[in-house]
Amino acid sequence: MAKYKNIVVLTGAGISAESGVATFRDNGGLWEQHRVQDVATPEAFARDPELVQRFYNARRQNVGSVEPNAAHVALANLEQASDTHVTIITQNVDDLHERAGSKNVLHMHGELCKVRCIHCNSVHHWQGDCTQQTKCPKCGAMPALRPHIVWFGEIPFYMDEIEDLLYKCDLFVSVGTSGTVYPAAGFVNAINAYGRAHTAEINLEPSEGISNFAEARHGKAGDLLPVFVEEIIRSGEP
Ligand code: APR
């Protein structure tokens, strides 16, 4: 696998769809059933924290009951296949990449299985429900805990690290994202400006940013990604 030395894979909700996690913008997606401004903004949490907690408690429960699919497993295999550096930058807040075996995962939009104290800023792994009556395990404040999720209007995590990864990468693959939410939707443009990497999109349908990718494959990630990964691994074989 010497052909590529630094691979960056950007993933979105589509990669977890076949596991049974709802996407956001497809028919029946989460944003058809809930208004973003009611559940996914700092203002929503200030206005009705119990509603926001219930929304994320339900999503945490759902994610706890599903399993990684063939697409997650393919990416874990890619990371383990050689000494090529593979990083997954995910917009997803589920932990399916980690449960499939991926180690190098940056959750730019946060993680469902973590909560954060708004008083002492400590971050805690969280399995069950979190309410306004739950005390911060570190400082004891209450109400204190919020989902460790990047809401609309907040700055995504790991942006400095991501900028560096985009600059260095020689293969950029975007999987299961509609390409509508920035900054992630703009990563491919940054990479094209550096002019060093091959770019590929794998998505059920053409994304908003389709014209910016050198290569595109359309269909289910669980079908296409294992084949794509196998090709990458083979391309580096002598
Ligand atoms: N395989 C591949 N792609 C799929 C599959 C599948 N099985 N099922 C759906 N898709 C595609 C859809 O066609 C769509 O283009 O996945 C994409 C999902 O798009 P969105 O629902 O917009 O999800 P995403 O791009 O991850 O959203 C970005 O928006 O609301 C915010 O914070 C939220 O992280 C999220 C961000």
Side-chain angles (χ1 to χ4, degrees):
M1 244 176 78
K3 187 172 173 194
Y4 297 114
K5 290 192 167 39
N6 290 295
I7 300 175
V8 171
V9 186
L10 171 69
T11 64
I15 197 169
S16 297
E18 289 160 72
S19 293
V21 182
T23 59
F24 296 95
R25 294 172 183 80
D26 293 303
N27 282 339
L30 269 180
W31 298 151
E32 262 185 12
Q33 297 156 42
H34 305 269
R35 291 178 349 140
V36 167
Q37 59 269 35
D38 289 341
V39 292
T41 64
E43 293 77 16
F45 190 63
R47 202 169 45 239
D48 194 345
E50 292 288 5
L51 173 74
V52 174
Q53 297 278 20
R54 278 201 301 277
F55 175 73
Y56 286 100
N57 286 342
R59 294 184 61 202
R60 192 177 299 119
Q61 216 171 55
N62 170 247
V63 158
S65 69
V66 302
E67 297 297 328
N69 65 55
H72 299 104
V73 172
L75 292 183
N77 290 342
L78 180 65
E79 189 181 319
Q80 282 149 23
S82 79
D83 53 5
T84 295
H85 193 259
V86 179
T87 308
I88 297 172
I89 302 172
T90 187
Q91 298 168 90
N92 297 346
V93 294
D94 64 53
D95 61 352
L96 295 177
H97 284 304
E98 288 87 345
R99 284 204 264 141
S102 289
K103 303 266 180 269
N104 219 358
V105 186
L106 297 177
H107 283 271
M108 64 180 293
H109 290 172
E111 294 170 73
L112 264 181
C113 56
K114 290 182 180 170
V115 296
R116 184 167 82 243
C117 177
I118 58 172
H119 300 288
C120 72
N121 232 14
S122 57
V123 175
H124 305 273
H125 282 276
W126 215 259
Q127 297 286 336
D129 287 353
C130 181
T131 72
Q132 292 302 92
Q133 284 73 50
T134 313
K135 280 187 184 164
C136 169
K138 185 159 183 224
C139 72
M142 184 195 89
L145 302 174
R146 58 161 279 178
H148 191 51
I149 299 286
V150 177
W151 286 322
F152 285 89
E154 296 184 318
I155 296 169
F157 298 142
Y158 307 112
M159 286 314 296
D160 288 346
E161 211 172 327
I162 288 173
E163 212 175 298
D164 196 45
L165 285 163
L166 299 183
Y167 181 71
K168 286 186 186 142
C169 81
D170 47 17
L171 173 64
F172 175 73
V173 190
S174 173
V175 186
T177 175
S178 57
T180 48
V181 174
Y182 285 79
F187 290 172
V188 65
N189 297 317
I191 285 167
N192 286 337
Y194 300 137
R196 266 194 291 273
H198 179 61
T199 57
E201 158 172 305
I202 293 178
N203 206 49
L204 196 57
E205 59 198 1
S207 75
E208 288 286 317
I210 178 71
S211 59
N212 299 313
F213 288 88
E215 180 185 351
R217 301 184 186 188
H218 296 129
K220 289 185 174 178
D223 295 334
L224 299 182
L225 204 51
V227 176
F228 187 78
V229 162
E230 199 49 45
E231 287 172 21
I232 297 172
I233 293 172
R234 282 222 206 95
S235 76
E237 284 175 2

